[in-house]
Amino acid sequence: MSCGRLETGSVLRRAGAFRTAPRLRRILLAGVAAAVIVGSACAAEPDLEQRYRDRAEALIREARWYDAAVQWEVLRLLRPDRGEYGRKMEEARGRARDAATQRARTAAEARQRGDWLGSVQLYLQALSEDPGYSEAARALRELEKEQLSRGNTRSLAHLSNGEAAGTRSAPRRAVAPSAAQGRELESAVMLLHQGDYELSAKMLELHLRRYPNDELASRTLREAYAALGRERVQQGKKEEALTYLQKAQSGKPGGAGEPLGSARSLRKDIAQDYYERGVRAQRTNLDEAIRLWQQALQYDPELTQARLRIEQARRMRENLDAIQGGEKP
Amino acid sequence: MARQFLGDEERSWEIAEFNGVTTARPGEALVIPLQPRNPMGVFRDGYQTVPILAYHRFGYKDGQMVVTPDAFAAQLDYLAKNDYRVVRLSELAEFLAGKRALPRRSVVITMDDGYASAYVHAYPLLKKHRFPATVFVYTDFIGAKDALTWEQMREMVASGLIDIQSHSKTHANLADRLPGESEDTYRKRLDTEVRAPQQALETKLGAPVHSFAYPYGDTNALVADRLARADYRLAVTVNPGGNPFFAHPLMLQRTMIFGDLGLEAFKSKLQVYRQIGAR
C-alpha cells in the first residue's frame, strides 16, 4: 500500500529526491486541507499510525476538536484505505466549528450589550476552538478599530478645547527649537507614551527650566502630571494624586477640563477619608479627631459635618476639662 | 524541505513545530503542513503578539535615546540564544492580514530618524545575526551631519536585511495643526509629509515604501486616513505592547528601547504572548 494523493496541491515523492537531506528515509507532507505524503512504504508504519491515533484520541478526551481533526487528517493520509480516519476527521472538524459558532454567538451578544472586553475574549475563544473561523477574526478586527476610534476621540477631546475632531492646534513656540531641545522633548514625549510618566515629567521640568516659553513642553508636562495623578488614584495615594492633578491644572488657560474636575472630586474624597478617620478616632482621642476633621475641612471647606463635629468635640473637650478641673484638689 | 515544499526556508519552523522537533534525524518520519494550521496564533489559553522594538540612536553619547553598541549586541545575543525570531515588518503585515503564521517568539526591530549610527553600529551587529530590521527615515534629515547617506542606505537595502521606510518629511508632530492652519491646508501638509518621503525613498533606493512611523509616535484619524490614501500598509506608534493578529495595521504598538534599559528590563519588553482575558 502506498501513501495517497491528497485533497489539493498534493505531491507524491520519495525521500531520496531530497538533495538537501539525502539520508532522510521517510518524510510525510501533510497539512490542513492541502497535504502531501512523501516517503517509501509510509503506510507500513504501525508505530507512526499508533502514535497519531493515541494523540488524536487524547485530544478528543480534552475536547480539542480542531487539533484532533489535524491528527485524523494525518492518519487519513497515512492510511487512505481506512475510511474511519476520514470520517473521524470530518466529525472532529464539525465539532470544532460548532464550538466556535457557539462562542461567537455569545460574543456577538456581549458586543451588542457594549461589553467590549467580554466580546473580545469570547471571539478569541471561538478562534481557539477553530482557527479557521473567519467570522470571529473579522469581528475582532472590527472591535479593535471601534475601540481605537473611541480611544482617539477621548484622547483628543481631553487634549483640545473645542477644536475640530481628530486634530488639535499646535501650541506656539516662542522660539524655534534647537536640535538638542527637540531631541530632549522627543524623549520626554515618547516616555510619556510608554507609560514612564515620572521620568517624562522630570525631563520636562528640567527642559522647562531652560526653555520656560516652550508651550509644547508645558502641555506635555501637564499631560504627564495628569497621568501621574490618575496612576496615584489607582494606587490609592489620593493626596499625591491631588498634588499632581493640581499641577496638571496650573497654568492651563480656561481653567476647565478633566484634571480640574478630577481634582475637585478627589479633594472631596480625601476630605471624606479624613472625616471618617476622625469619627473613628473620636472614641479614644478627641484631640486627634479634631485635628483630622480640620484636615478634612482643608480639603473640602463645604464639609459641614466636619464643622459640626469639631464644634461638638470642642464643647465635649471643655466639659471634660471642667470636670477634670473640678476634681483637682 | 521548507524551501522545497513551502517555498520559503524561513518557514522551516512550521515543520519543526508541527512535528515537535528542532532537527530532522535520518529515518524519522516528518509531517510537513502545506498550509499554516493556526495563522492567527490563537490558542486555548492565549494568543500570540508580536512586539516591535524601537531604537533611535547608537553610540556612547549620553541620552535616553542613545543605546550603546554593547547593549545592542547583548540584546541581539539574547534574542538569538533564546529562540526569538526576528521577522521583517512585511512579514508582520502578512500576519495581520491572516495570510502568514509567524513563529511564536517573533520580534520586529526598527530604528527611527535615520541616524548614521544605524549603519555604523547597528548594521554590523544585525548582519552578524542575519537579523532583518527597518529604518524609519525622515527625509529632510538626510544630508545632515549625523544622518545616514543615500549610499549607506543603498548598501543596507542591497544586503536584503535592512528595509528603509518613511518617518515623514520634516519630523513635525503630525497630530498637531499649526496655529491658524485651515483644515484644507493641514490636509495638504499631511499629504506632503506622507507622500514626499515615500516618493524620494522609492526613487532613490528602488524599494517599495509601505510603512510609516509617526513622528513622536503621535497620530490622529486624519493622519491615518492620509496614509491609507497613499497606500501605506502599516504605521507604528510608540504605545508599548505586542501586536496580536487583529491589531489595526495603521496603529501598531511599538516598544521603545531606551539607553538606560538593562538586559533584564529588555527581556520584559518582549511581549510575545498574552493570556485570553488579559488585554
Side-chain angles (χ1 to χ4, degrees):
Chain A
M1 185 168 35
S2 63
C3 299
R5 191 167 281 274
L6 306 170
E7 286 179 358
T8 55
S10 62
V11 182
L12 187 66
R13 294 190 187 194
R14 289 193 172 272
F18 295 109
R19 298 174 90 189
T20 49
R23 293 176 66 211
L24 286 174
R25 292 172 62 87
R26 290 175 295 278
I27 298 169
L28 304 173
L29 296 170
V32 181
V36 177
I37 291 181
V38 175
S40 57
C42 44
E45 282 279 0
D47 286 354
L48 190 65
E49 187 178 346
Q50 192 56 46
R51 205 177 342 138
Y52 274 95
R53 272 192 79 107
D54 292 348
R55 218 181 278 170
E57 279 160 7
L59 287 165
I60 280 178
R61 281 195 294 277
E62 292 174 37
R64 292 172 60 183
W65 306 108
Y66 180 83
D67 292 334
V70 173
Q71 309 305 314
W72 292 124
E73 184 181 352
V74 173
L75 283 161
R76 197 191 60 161
L77 305 177
L78 272 172
R79 296 293 305 269
D81 56 313
R82 296 190 65 170
E84 64 168 310
Y85 291 148
R87 282 194 299 278
K88 285 184 169 172
M89 179 189 80
E90 292 301 340
E91 191 195 335
R93 279 184 184 172
R95 302 285 290 264
R97 183 51 56 108
D98 289 348
T101 308
Q102 180 57 41
R103 299 270 194 195
R105 203 173 292 139
T106 324
E109 286 164 10
R111 189 177 175 184
Q112 274 198 324
R113 284 196 308 274
D115 177 5
W116 183 83
L117 193 62
S119 177
V120 166
Q121 288 170 13
L122 286 159
Y123 277 124
L124 283 166
Q125 284 168 5
L127 274 175
S128 75
E129 297 285 359
D130 181 354
Y133 197 68
S134 56
E135 192 188 302
R138 192 172 54 243
L140 280 164
R141 290 193 178 101
E142 284 169 8
L143 280 162
E144 182 74 359
K145 213 169 170 180
E146 282 170 22
Q147 186 64 11
L148 274 172
S149 61
R150 275 187 211 139
N152 256 346
T153 310
R154 201 168 40 235
S155 145
L156 289 162
H158 164 61
L159 291 170
S160 62
N161 285 322
E163 291 153 11
T167 66
R168 61 173 187 254
S169 291
R172 290 174 195 280
R173 277 172 183 252
V175 287
S178 69
Q181 185 184 355
R183 272 199 296 277
E184 262 177 18
L185 190 56
E186 185 181 7
S187 306
V189 172
M190 290 200 172
L191 282 163
L192 180 68
H193 281 299
Q194 298 279 312
D196 195 339
Y197 310 128
E198 220 148 341
L199 187 55
S200 175
K202 269 184 204 157
M203 288 177 74
L204 288 161
E205 282 163 359
L206 279 173
H207 176 90
L208 280 164
R209 256 178 243 160
R210 271 178 287 166
Y211 310 102
N213 296 324
D214 190 333
E215 287 182 30
L216 178 60
S218 302
R219 193 191 66 195
T220 312
L221 182 58
R222 285 198 299 271
E223 284 176 36
Y225 285 146
L228 279 165
R230 286 191 291 272
E231 195 179 69
R232 294 295 190 271
V233 169
Q234 280 176 351
Q235 293 165 352
K237 296 175 181 170
K238 292 181 187 172
E239 284 175 85
E240 272 185 54
L242 182 62
T243 309
Y244 282 123
L245 290 177
Q246 283 170 335
K247 281 183 173 180
Q249 191 55 36
S250 66
K252 190 175 176 182
E258 192 208 339
L260 183 61
S262 307
R264 211 176 273 146
S265 73
L266 201 55
R267 290 185 81 90
K268 286 192 180 294
D269 268 8
I270 297 169
Q272 191 62 33
D273 284 352
Y274 274 112
Y275 174 75
E276 283 164 16
R277 281 169 62 191
V279 173
R280 285 195 295 274
Q282 187 182 14
R283 290 174 212 147
T284 52
N285 188 341
L286 208 52
D287 293 332
E288 175 64 5
I290 292 170
R291 191 190 66 76
L292 288 165
W293 288 323
Q294 282 170 334
Q295 196 82 5
L297 281 172
Q298 276 183 12
Y299 282 101
D300 181 9
E302 290 166 10
L303 190 61
T304 322
Q305 298 99 309
R307 284 187 198 285
L308 294 171
R309 292 267 187 180
I310 290 169
E311 276 179 38
Q312 209 174 26
R314 279 187 181 144
R315 276 201 301 275
M316 210 183 287
R317 160 63 56 214
E318 283 165 15
N319 290 342
L320 279 171
D321 287 348
I323 292 165
Q324 280 165 359
E327 281 173 355
K328 274 178 193 164
Chain B
M1 282 188 284
R3 188 168 56 239
Q4 188 156 359
F5 291 101
L6 305 179
D8 183 355
E9 69 184 89
E10 295 291 318
R11 290 177 63 190
S12 60
W13 68 272
E14 291 175 38
I15 302 170
E17 189 177 270
F18 193 97
N19 292 278
V21 298
T22 49
T23 49
R25 289 190 305 274
E28 185 180 29
L30 289 176
V31 176
I32 299 180
L34 295 183
Q35 285 183 358
R37 204 161 44 124
N38 188 354
M40 291 161 206
V42 181
F43 304 89
R44 282 259 157 151
D45 56 344
Y47 55 101
Q48 179 179 12
T49 62
V50 182
I52 307 175
L53 308 181
Y55 293 87
H56 277 72
R57 206 170 179 183
F58 303 90
Y60 297 95
K61 291 184 179 176
D62 276 347
Q64 281 286 320
M65 314 292 261
V66 187
V67 173
T68 66
D70 301 341
F72 188 56
Q75 289 163 6
L76 297 187
D77 283 344
Y78 176 79
L79 294 176
K81 286 178 185 155
N82 290 278
D83 298 328
Y84 285 93
R85 297 286 290 263
V86 179
V87 298
R88 292 164 206 280
L89 212 46
S90 56
E91 290 175 83
L92 177 64
E94 288 182 71
F95 171 70
L96 297 173
K99 291 179 185 163
R100 180 184 188 124
L102 289 181
R104 296 262 188 121
R105 288 153 85 90
S106 290
V107 177
V108 174
I109 294 176
T110 66
M111 294 167 266
D112 278 10
D113 295 344
Y115 284 104
S117 63
Y119 174 82
V120 176
H121 296 300
Y123 177 49
L125 293 166
L126 290 162
K127 261 199 303 192
K128 181 185 148 197
H129 289 283
R130 300 281 315 149
F131 282 167
T134 296
V135 181
F136 286 107
V137 176
Y138 68 99
T139 42
D140 279 4
F141 186 43
I142 302 168
K145 188 173 150 251
D146 293 339
L148 283 166
T149 64
W150 288 111
E151 203 45 55
Q152 288 167 335
M153 285 190 274
R154 269 189 215 105
E155 184 190 327
M156 291 196 290
V157 170
S159 73
L161 280 182
I162 308 294
D163 179 27
I164 309 284
Q165 297 292 325
S166 168
H167 191 27
S168 81
K169 181 177 180 292
T170 66
H171 203 281
N173 188 332
L174 303 184
D176 281 339
R177 205 198 289 185
L178 298 172
E181 189 175 41
S182 72
E183 182 80 21
D184 192 45
T185 317
Y186 176 51
R187 208 179 288 267
K188 281 182 184 149
R189 184 165 62 83
L190 289 183
D191 281 343
T192 306
E193 290 282 6
V194 302
R195 288 178 190 272
Q198 191 179 35
Q199 202 177 8
L201 293 169
E202 286 184 348
T203 308
K204 298 254 190 184
L205 302 174
V209 173
H210 47 69
S211 301
F212 190 87
Y214 298 110
Y216 301 90
D218 218 354
T219 186
N220 62 36
L222 189 58
V223 180
D225 173 64
R226 301 329 280 178
L227 286 175
R229 284 167 193 266
D231 292 330
Y232 280 95
R233 288 158 64 201
L234 300 182
V236 293
T237 65
V238 291
N239 299 324
N243 296 284
F245 81 89
F246 54 92
H248 192 304
L250 295 178
M251 287 294 288
L252 294 176
Q253 304 198 95
R254 203 159 57 127
T255 303
M256 292 278 294
I257 304 300
F258 291 110
D260 57 357
L261 195 75
L263 193 58
E264 286 308 310
F266 173 78
K267 292 175 196 174
S268 72
K269 305 277 182 191
L270 303 169
Q271 189 187 61
V272 293
Y273 200 73
R274 224 175 287 168
Q275 286 190 330
I276 290 181
R279 282 274 306 162

